[in-house]
Structure formats: structure tokens, C-alpha cells
């Protein structure tokens, strides 16, 4: 019990970090589902594009010596903003090329296109990186300042990396909240999600709003990609699969199409996973180790969905007859 | 102001409008009457751009509307209050009204909001409420108020009386008249022929996608066919 207590805070921080990471990615799934009622299975690659943009920028800063000269906060800001912008643009391009021409086709058709786009993007990133660096596994350069920890009391340390993830995620979530609830375009996104035909009668250019939704969702994924690289160092073109699947799960858990739901779902999943990884073997006396964390997390997910099939904050996404 | 000529509209292979022609003059209230399936809603949806005609023309003050996207038609001065109100039920009352003013410059929204609130004081009381929690009558008021936020020259109203208590219907129609007095031209589709003709200058009776009768509202009120079919004898 001593041990269980002493690691509690550490596990909590890990869970929150993981939860925010899932939440940022889950927003891309849920926002796109909101406006198109369609799962963008290539969103995990949009996330990976962010991770690679971040890695390439940091490697470039390192090679030119800028990493040692520039203020680390400026470096991080530049990298996060660029990853965000390029992932957002990639998501917009994806919508234009792979999904918009299929609007009105049976529902499975764009879904298959999304799976195809996902494979294409994975191997496209691999091709580019192979040509450019002769390697497609990249290691994030270390920023010395991020290796430090903040000491809270005698036994508790929080790595600055974790604080960076939490702070960035909070800023992004607040920004998204204000954008979606307080701006005219944000209200238009919600109107399109509810009833695209009636939204067009308000003078809303529905296709433009859909493109914008992809951009915003993609930008969230891009930020998550950069944060993922900073936090876990090693990335590959295939790094998106597991976080993408978990974030999709988080979106469903929170209620697909529901923005606060995606954040809640991500947090629940992240915390469950972190606590299962650390406590399963303690509680079961070693019978179940950390490797069962996903089994535990998904078992809870299934239980929640049995009792709340629409997710924690789920609601009807579109009006009947609309 | 609005001229519809020889309009043909299909739902896949089913012909909904067969050469429909009618016109609405500046400042008028014109009613389209007809049974279910006569093509009234189809007509409004085609004018506002939700449906594409296969033949015929629609002109608004000389400008062709057929083939123009719905979001552009709003900018040309046409607002459509759709059948079943179609308010954004998960948005607040205020957000619904703001989204109605989507095409307007931010500066004029406050003024337009006051105009709508003066017509429908209920909406002002409930502006922070989620629109889905409003009563049927309030939702209809919101749908009309939302359309007015676009400052339309031509207002298309699809069955504003649907599912509402008679006293509420009277209030809504009095407001429609007030809106018309402010200079907004109105094209009205109604099942409730008596009250629709009472506020209209002219009317058209539609049957299976074409006009079978037209005239002054007062004349239609006394027409035997209209009396039997729509006014209950």
C-alpha cells in the first residue's frame, strides 16, 4: 500500500497527459462526424503529419544551430503553430480530394476512401522521409529545458514535458470552446452539424464550413502530433494507428459528434489506461501486469456503452427528417 | 418582383411540378393553396435553391435564380421559413437569430435583433434558452424571426400555422401582416386556406404540380371549388 500511495500522483499526471493527448485527437473525429456523420479514418495520419512536421522543424533548428540560440519557448511556439497549420491544411486537402467528390454516395463509400487515404498517407510520409533522410523512424531532438522537472513537495515531481502537454491542451481547448461558442463561424459549424439544408437557407456556404471544420479538427490533431513527439520521442509513419484508434474510442465513449464529450472521453480513457498500467499488477498480486491496461480500458468502454449506447454525453446528432 | 414560369421539378423520376407559373408583385402577400402533394413545398424549395428545376425559369427583380446556390439566394434578398420550422434546436434562441443574420454585417445585427424582439417579445424573454425547449408557437416565432434577421425583400413561409392552437395562429398571422406592412413581400403556403386568404391580396390553387385556379383572394374565398376543397363547404 505504501508503494500504491507513493506513485499515485505520478500516475495521475501520466493519465492526464495521455487523456489530453487523446482528447485533442478525438476532437478531429468528433467534429468531422458532427458535420458529415462520417468517421475520418485518415485522421490518425493527419496527427502523424503534425508529429513529422514538428520533428523536421526541430531537426532543422538543430542542424542550423538555431536550437541553441533561440529561446526554447519561441522554438516550441513556432513548432506547434507550424504543425497545427500544416496538419489543418492536410485535413482540408484530404476532404477536398478524397471525400467531397463522394458526397451523396452510399455511406460505406467515403469510409473506404478514408481507409485508403490512411494507407496512402502512411506510405507517402514513409516515401518522403526515406528519400529525404534515408530513414523513416525519427527521434525528436531533446530540448534540455523540457528534461527538467518541477518539484512539488518532497515526493512529487512533475516533468516539464507533462506540464507543456497539459498547458498547450488547455489553451487549445479554451480556444476551441470560444471559437465554437462565441464566433459567428463557430455557431455556423454547429448549425451545419444539426441541419445542413436549413443552414444553407441562412446564407451559410455549407461546403466552406465543412472544409473549415476539417481544418480545425486537423489543427487539433497536428498539435497533438507535435506534443506526442516531444513526449515520447520516437515517431514513425505508423505511429498514428494506436493513438488514433484510442482517440476514436474516446470520441465514441464521450458521444460521437459531441465536442465536450470528446474531451471527457479522452480523459476517462487516458486515466483508466494509466491507472490500469500501474495498479493492475499491484492489485492482482502480479496476476495481471501492465500489458493488460488496454484490456481493462476497453472492458470499461464496453460496459459504459452497454449502459449508455450514445456515449457519456451522447445526444441525437441530427434532427429527424433533416 | 418574383416571376416563376413553366417550372418543372423532379424527385428522381417523379415529376413534382409540371410547368408551374405564377408571379408575386412588390409588397404583396400571395398564397399558394393545394392539397398535400400538390407541389407547394417543392415550389418554395426550388425558389430558395434547395431543389434544382429541370426546366422553366425563376426571376427575382429580373435576376435569374435557377441554378444559384441557396446560400447566394439569401444574399439576393430571399428568406425561407421551411415547413416544420427547422429551428436549430440545440442552439440558443439568440444563436438562432444570429445565424439568421449570417449574411449581414456585424454592425447591423443589434438593430435587427431589436426589430425581431419588438415583433416577438417572447423571444426576448427566452433568448438564453435552448431553442428546442420552446413551445411550438414560440418555435414558429423564432423561425420567422430568424428569417427576418437576413433583412429579406421576399419572405417564403411554408405552413406557419402547422400544429399550432388557433389563438397562436391568429397572433402569427397578425405579425405576418405587420411584417408585410413594413415593405416585405410575402409568398405564403398554407393548408389553413381561410386565414391565409384573409391576409392575402391574391392566391393560386395548385393541383398535381400545376396551377388550376388563380385570382384575387376575395374572389377565391367565394369560389365554389375553393369553398368545397379548402374551406369546408
Amino acid at each position: 500500500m505504501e508503494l500504491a500511495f507513493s506513485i499515485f500522483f505520478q500516475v495521475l499526471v501520466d493519465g492526464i497527459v495521455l487523456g489530453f493527448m487523446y482528447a485533442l485527437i478525438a476532437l478531429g473525429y468528433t467534429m468531422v462526424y458532427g458535420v458529415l456523420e462520417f468517421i475520418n479514418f485518415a485522421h490518425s495520419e493527419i496527427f502523424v503529419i503534425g508529429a513529422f512536421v514538428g520533428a523536421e522543424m526541430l531537426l532543422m533548428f538543430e542542424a542550423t544551430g538555431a536550437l541553441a540560440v533561440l529561446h526554447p519557448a519561441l522554438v516550441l511556439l513556432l513548432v506547434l503553430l507550424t504543425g497545427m497549420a500544416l496538419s489543418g491544411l492536410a485535413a482540408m486537402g484530404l476532404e477536398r480530394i478524397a471525400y467531397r467528390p463522394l458526397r451523396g454516395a452510399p455511406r460505406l463509400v467515403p469510409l473506404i476512401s478514408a481507409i485508403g487515404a490512411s494507407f496512402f498517407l502512411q506510405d507517402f510520409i514513409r516515401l518522403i522521409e526515406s528519400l529525404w533522410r534515408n530513414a523513416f523512424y525519427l527521434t525528436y531532438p531533446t530540448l534540455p529545458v523540457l528534461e527538467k522537472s518541477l518539484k512539488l513537495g518532497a515526493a512529487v515531481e512533475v516533468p516539464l514535458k507533462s506540464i507543456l502537454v497539459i498547458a498547450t491542451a488547455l489553451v487549445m481547448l479554451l480556444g476551441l470552446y470560444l471559437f465554437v461558442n462565441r464566433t459567428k463561424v463557430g455557431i455556423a459549424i454547429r448549425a451545419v452539424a444539426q441541419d445542413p439544408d436549413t443552414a444553407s437557407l441562412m446564407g451559410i456556404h455549407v461546403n466552406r464550413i465543412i472544409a473549415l471544420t476539417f481544418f480545425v479538427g486537423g489543427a487539433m490533431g497536428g498539435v497533438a502530433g507535435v506534443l506526442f513527439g516531444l513526449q515520447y520521442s520516437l515517431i514513425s509513419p505508423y505511429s498514428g494507428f494506436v493513438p488514433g484508434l484510442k482517440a476514436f474510442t474516446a470520441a465514441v465513449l464521450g458521444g460521437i459528434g459531441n465536442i465536450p464529450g470528446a474531451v471527457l472521453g479522452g480523459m476517462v480513457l487516458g486515466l483508466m489506461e494509466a491507472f490500469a498500467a500501474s495498479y493492475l499488477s499491484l492489485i492482482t498480486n502480479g496476476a495481471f501486469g501492465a500489458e493488460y491496461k488496454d484490456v481493462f480500458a476497453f472492458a470499461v468502454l464496453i460496459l459504459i456503452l452497454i449502459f449508455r449506447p450514445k456515449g457519456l454525453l451522447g445526444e441525437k446528432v441530427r434532427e429527424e427528417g433533416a | 418582383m418574383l416571376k416563376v414560369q413553366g417550372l418543372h421539378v423532379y424527385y428522381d423520376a417523379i415529376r413534382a411540378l409540371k410547368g408551374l407559373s405564377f408571379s408575386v408583385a412588390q409588397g404583396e402577400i400571395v398564397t399558394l393553396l393545394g392539397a398535400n402533394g400538390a407541389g407547394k413545398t417543392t415550389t418554395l424549395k426550388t425558389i430558395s435553391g434547395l431543389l434544382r428545376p429541370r426546366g422553366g425559369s425563376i426571376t427575382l427583380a429580373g435576376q435569374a435564380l435557377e441554378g444559384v446556390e441557396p446560400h447566394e439566394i439569401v444574399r439576393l434578398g430571399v428568406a425561407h421559413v421551411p415547413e416544420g420550422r427547422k429551428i436549430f434546436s440545440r442552439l440558443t434562441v439568440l444563436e438562432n437569430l444570429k445565424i439568421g443574420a449570417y449574411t449581414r454585417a456585424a454592425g447591423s445585427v443589434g438593430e435587427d435583433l431589436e426589430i425581431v424582439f419588438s415583433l416577438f417579445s417572447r423571444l426576448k424573454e427566452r433568448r438564453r434558452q435552448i431553442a428546442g425547449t420552446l413551445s411550438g408557437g414560440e418555435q414558429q416565432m423564432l423561425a420567422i424571426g430568424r428569417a427576418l434577421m437576413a433583412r429579406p425583400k421576399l419572405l417564403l413561409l411554408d405552413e406557419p400555422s402547422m400544429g399550432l392552437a388557433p389563438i397562436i395562429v391568429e397572433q402569427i398571422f397578425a405579425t405576418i401582416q405587420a411584417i408585410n406592412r413594413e415593405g416585405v413581400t410575402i409568398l405564403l403556403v398554407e393548408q389553413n386556406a381561410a386565414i391565409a386568404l384573409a391576409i392575402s391580396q391574391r392566391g393560386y390553387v395548385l393541383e398535381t404540380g400545376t396551377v388550376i385556379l388563380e385570382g384575387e383572394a376575395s374572389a377565391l374565398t367565394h369560389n365554389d371549388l375553393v369553398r368545397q376543397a379548402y374551406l369546408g363547404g
Side-chain angles (χ1 to χ4, degrees):
Chain A
M1 265 348 253
E2 268 313 87
L3 178 65
F5 184 74
S6 65
I7 63 169
F8 176 82
F9 195 78
Q10 198 60 53
V11 175
L12 184 67
V13 171
D14 287 348
I16 291 172
V17 166
L18 204 55
F20 273 131
M21 205 86 82
Y22 291 156
L24 286 176
I25 310 170
L27 284 167
Y29 287 104
T30 232
M31 289 183 71
V32 163
Y33 188 87
V35 292
L36 286 182
E37 289 190 301
F38 144 83
I39 303 298
N40 175 15
F41 275 114
H43 185 60
S44 46
E45 278 57 55
I46 298 299
F47 157 80
V48 170
I49 288 172
F52 270 88
V53 168
E56 284 296 344
M57 273 187 81
L58 284 171
L59 289 169
M60 191 187 79
F61 282 153
E62 194 179 44
T64 57
L67 203 56
V69 186
L70 292 176
H71 192 283
L74 179 66
V75 170
L76 286 171
L77 189 68
L78 279 175
V79 170
L80 284 166
L81 285 177
T82 314
M84 202 174 140
L86 290 182
S87 278
L89 289 175
M92 255 173 93
L94 181 69
E95 189 269 333
R96 191 74 192 78
I97 294 167
Y99 306 146
R100 197 182 298 179
L102 301 172
R103 199 91 51 76
R107 308 188 81 173
L108 281 178
V109 175
L111 205 63
I112 291 165
S113 183
I115 294 167
S118 164
F119 284 126
F120 170 81
L121 286 172
Q122 284 173 5
D123 288 319
F124 185 70
I125 297 166
R126 177 173 170 167
L127 176 72
I128 300 276
E129 288 297 332
S130 301
L131 290 173
W132 168 243
R133 293 198 181 271
N134 218 2
F136 56 87
Y137 277 81
L138 296 188
T139 308
Y140 263 61
T142 42
L143 288 170
V145 72
L146 287 184
E147 302 307 313
K148 292 179 187 156
S149 288
L150 198 67
K151 281 206 190 328
L152 296 175
V156 182
E157 278 188 27
V158 186
L160 276 188
K161 271 182 185 173
S162 305
I163 293 175
L164 175 74
V165 174
I166 293 168
T168 310
L170 284 175
V171 169
M172 295 299 294
L173 294 177
L174 180 70
L176 183 71
Y177 174 84
L178 293 176
F179 172 70
V180 169
N181 290 297
R182 300 282 162 82
T183 68
K184 187 163 126 175
V185 180
I187 300 173
I189 289 180
R190 289 188 290 143
V192 169
Q194 199 174 344
D195 183 347
D197 270 357
T198 305
S200 74
L201 292 180
M202 304 297 117
I204 295 170
H205 192 327
V206 173
N207 273 338
R208 205 172 281 167
I209 292 295
I210 289 172
L212 179 73
T213 306
F214 270 85
F215 180 84
V216 173
M220 293 283 165
V223 167
V226 175
L227 294 174
F228 179 88
L230 289 168
Q231 178 81 6
Y232 305 111
S233 291
L234 188 68
I235 59 166
S236 88
Y238 311 103
S239 294
F241 182 71
V242 172
L245 194 66
K246 297 235 175 102
F248 167 60
T249 306
V252 174
L253 177 63
I256 189 93
N258 182 300
I259 291 176
V263 179
L264 179 66
M267 204 43 83
V268 169
L269 196 64
L271 285 169
M272 279 198 310
E273 214 183 294
F275 276 96
S278 303
Y279 283 86
L280 267 183
S281 81
L282 276 178
I283 291 168
T284 62
N285 259 326
F288 292 99
E291 64 275 17
Y292 282 89
K293 66 179 170 58
D294 290 348
V295 175
F296 176 77
F298 281 86
V300 174
L301 169 84
I302 290 168
L303 273 179
I304 290 176
L305 289 182
I306 286 172
F307 293 104
R308 286 197 63 94
K310 285 176 180 166
L312 294 169
L313 303 181
E315 55 193 327
K316 225 169 29 188
V317 169
R318 209 158 278 192
E319 296 305 292
E320 279 147 71
Chain B
M1 136 175 260
L2 178 78
K3 205 169 174 68
V4 173
Q5 264 175 327
L7 205 59
H8 288 270
V9 178
Y10 290 72
Y11 290 102
D12 294 321
I14 300 158
R15 193 151 74 154
L17 296 185
K18 303 173 184 173
L20 180 76
S21 298
F22 68 94
S23 65
V24 183
Q26 174 88 42
E28 268 190 318
I29 301 182
V30 171
T31 296
L32 302 182
L33 296 174
N36 280 330
K40 307 183 304 285
T41 295
T42 304
T43 306
L44 296 194
K45 281 186 166 179
T46 311
I47 295 169
S48 61
L50 288 176
L51 295 173
R52 291 281 172 98
R54 237 186 249 182
S57 69
I58 306 168
T59 50
L60 179 77
Q63 181 169 9
L65 290 190
E66 67 272 7
V68 180
E69 295 283 336
H71 62 91
E72 287 163 359
I73 289 178
V74 180
R75 282 168 212 272
L76 296 174
V78 180
H80 183 170
V81 180
E83 188 178 14
R85 323 190 238 284
K86 298 286 172 67
I87 56 156
F88 298 110
S89 58
R90 293 204 305 270
L91 271 50
T92 66
V93 169
L94 195 59
E95 284 172 337
N96 267 276
L97 293 172
K98 281 184 176 166
I99 214 73
Y102 191 75
T103 55
R104 312 266 316 149
S108 57
V109 173
E111 192 186 316
D112 293 354
L113 212 50
E114 284 313 310
I115 294 173
V116 170
F117 285 154
S118 69
L119 284 170
F120 303 109
S121 55
R122 281 286 193 82
L123 296 182
K124 187 169 189 176
E125 292 161 24
R126 308 198 166 205
R127 63 189 183 281
R128 309 258 168 240
Q129 216 166 305
I130 298 294
T133 64
L134 297 180
S135 72
E138 290 163 348
Q139 291 192 13
Q140 187 62 60
M141 293 173 195
L142 179 57
I144 295 173
R146 183 180 67 175
L148 289 178
M149 292 298 289
R151 283 270 180 108
K153 293 180 218 137
L154 173 66
L155 186 61
L156 311 177
L157 293 168
D158 198 343
E159 302 264 3
S161 76
M162 190 159 60
L164 301 182
I167 181 143
I168 307 287
V169 173
E170 271 177 42
Q171 282 173 25
I172 300 257
F173 275 74
T175 312
I176 293 171
Q177 275 187 301
I179 293 165
N180 177 248
R181 276 196 296 273
E182 295 300 317
V184 180
T185 308
I186 290 171
L187 177 59
L188 177 64
V189 156
E190 252 306 332
Q191 295 272 5
N192 187 338
I195 193 157
L197 289 174
I199 68 161
S200 299
Q201 277 87 57
R202 293 188 305 116
Y204 294 84
V205 179
L206 271 58
E207 207 174 279
T208 59
T210 189
V211 172
I212 55 159
L213 191 66
E214 62 176 279
E216 299 286 322
S218 53
L220 288 178
T221 313
H222 297 104
N223 180 287
D224 284 345
L225 179 94
V226 174
R227 293 177 71 94
Q228 276 173 18
Y230 305 108
L231 296 173

